[in-house]
Amino acid sequence: MQRNNPGLSRALIVISLMLNVALASGIVVLYWQAAGVASQNEEFAKQLYAIKQEHDLTLGQLSYYKAQAEYYSNLMRMEKANQGFGGYATINMVAVSMRDEANYEGVTMRAEVELRKGEGRILINTQPRIGIDLQTSARTGAIVAEKFTGIPLQLTDVILTVKAEKEVEVVDGPSAGAAITMALIAAIQNKTISQSVYMTGTINPDGTIGRVGGIPEKALAAAKKGATDFLVPQGQSIVTILKPEKYQPAPGIILYFYKQQRIDLQEYLKEQGYSIKVSEVAKAQEIYQIAVK
């Protein structure tokens, strides 16, 4: 009977331990390398998403300044008012702000429009301080409201007060144009606006609704406030979001990569646990039919 060689057994044990250590070290290195790649992927995905958001917001700004130019060209063609009048309406608004250099977040605000006999001034107040430019949106909204109702505002002052829950730096003031316009129309006609309807979109002097950015973030903010309807510009009910994808480089190691994905906004909200009807609108008239009572 052959006897075991103690020296050989010890050598085999040492070799086995060394191989196990090397394998474990390799798995650790692989894990950290994969984690590093995943982290870089996530950062690049967020930066690319932020660039797209900024691009969409810039398009909204261009539409905003185009509307500003058209506003001044329309001043000379307005019908003259015989007298001023009073009115009041409120509407919920949504916008986006920069959480950090690569992330946006949706914010909700409340706008109050008060009409008083005056000199055709548009006065804007924010509570608390909100970094948002609403002057041109309000002026363009006034043009659309005048055309919509047939009532000129040259002898009526418009006082727009925007209230937020906290001090915030909003980056897309023009996207509130559609909401401001609806509030102006409702104030002129002494009607009310459904507080469960939220919307986003710029307003053009011809009453059309312009494209905006940050729609997923705005929709989520509205959903958390109890919105039942969310109105978006035509062609923008399909949105881009960051979607996590699971990756398993080795047994027991699970990493997540983020990539941009196109998705239906209503389906996206459903995935987040909210039941909201998303509707595309092209003109102020379409918003009026849904939101104004």
Side-chain angles (χ1 to χ4, degrees):
M1 184 174 181
Q2 187 177 4
R3 293 188 303 173
N4 291 331
N5 187 330
L8 179 60
S9 297
R10 285 194 295 271
L12 290 174
I13 292 172
V14 171
I15 293 173
S16 177
L17 289 173
M18 292 176 65
L19 288 173
N20 287 330
V21 169
L23 180 59
S25 299
I27 291 175
V28 170
V29 171
L30 177 62
Y31 173 81
W32 287 112
Q33 287 178 340
V37 171
S39 177
Q40 288 181 345
N41 174 272
E42 179 180 354
E43 186 62 28
F44 289 150
K46 288 182 178 179
Q47 289 179 1
L48 185 59
Y49 182 70
I51 290 171
K52 184 185 184 305
Q53 294 283 66
E54 187 174 351
H55 173 263
D56 290 341
L57 294 172
T58 300
L59 290 180
Q61 293 282 356
L62 290 175
S63 174
Y64 176 72
Y65 290 118
K66 177 176 178 290
Q68 185 178 34
E70 292 182 3
Y71 164 75
Y72 288 107
S73 69
N74 282 333
L75 281 178
M76 301 300 296
R77 298 195 295 271
M78 286 184 183
E79 180 183 347
K80 298 301 180 182
N82 295 321
Q83 62 180 3
F85 57 93
Y88 180 82
T90 65
I91 193 168
N92 290 316
M93 292 170 42
V94 288
V96 290
S97 65
M98 287 290 291
R99 190 168 57 206
D100 53 53
E101 62 181 12
N103 291 283
Y104 291 86
E105 65 179 352
V107 294
T108 58
M109 299 173 287
R110 185 176 181 83
E112 299 177 356
V113 169
E114 182 182 359
L115 305 178
R116 295 180 183 176
K117 291 182 179 181
E119 304 171 4
R121 297 171 296 180
I122 294 182
L123 311 173
I124 296 175
N125 176 45
T126 61
Q127 301 174 0
R129 187 189 73 82
I130 305 171
I132 185 170
D133 180 8
L134 296 171
Q135 189 70 35
T136 300
S137 290
R139 290 191 177 278
T140 305
I143 290 176
V144 176
E146 286 178 320
K147 292 178 180 177
F148 192 97
T149 62
I151 300 175
L153 296 172
Q154 287 95 343
L155 297 179
T156 301
D157 288 340
V158 175
I159 303 171
L160 173 63
T161 302
V162 178
K163 298 180 179 180
E165 294 179 354
K166 62 180 180 180
E167 188 172 298
V168 63
E169 192 71 23
V170 174
V171 297
D172 67 334
S175 72
I180 292 172
T181 302
M182 285 302 107
L184 281 164
I185 292 172
I188 292 171
Q189 296 184 335
N190 193 30
K191 293 189 175 182
T192 59
I193 298 172
S194 172
Q195 298 303 297
S196 64
V197 177
Y198 286 69
M199 67 197 72
T200 184
T202 64
I203 189 69
N204 298 316
D206 62 357
T208 56
I209 309 303
R211 296 175 67 87
V212 296
I215 289 180
E217 291 80 7
K218 294 173 183 176
L220 275 176
K224 292 174 182 178
K225 284 294 184 178
T228 60
D229 290 83
F230 191 72
L231 312 184
V232 301
Q234 191 170 41
Q236 290 200 281
S237 63
I238 305 298
V239 298
T240 300
I241 62 169
L242 285 178
K243 196 83 169 181
E245 288 193 353
K246 187 167 66 173
Y247 171 62
Q248 189 169 359
I253 300 175
I254 298 177
L255 303 173
Y256 288 90
F257 287 78
Y258 288 82
K259 63 183 295 186
Q260 293 190 42
Q261 179 177 328
R262 299 283 287 171
I263 188 173
D264 180 89
L265 180 60
Q266 188 163 309
E267 184 63 28
Y268 170 68
L269 292 171
K270 185 177 180 180
E271 289 180 2
Q272 303 301 313
Y274 301 102
S275 177
I276 300 178
K277 182 180 180 181
V278 176
S279 302
E280 293 186 355
V281 289
K283 299 179 180 179
Q285 178 66 39
E286 297 172 22
I287 299 176
Y288 182 86
Q289 292 174 350
I290 297 173
V292 180
K293 300 176 181 179

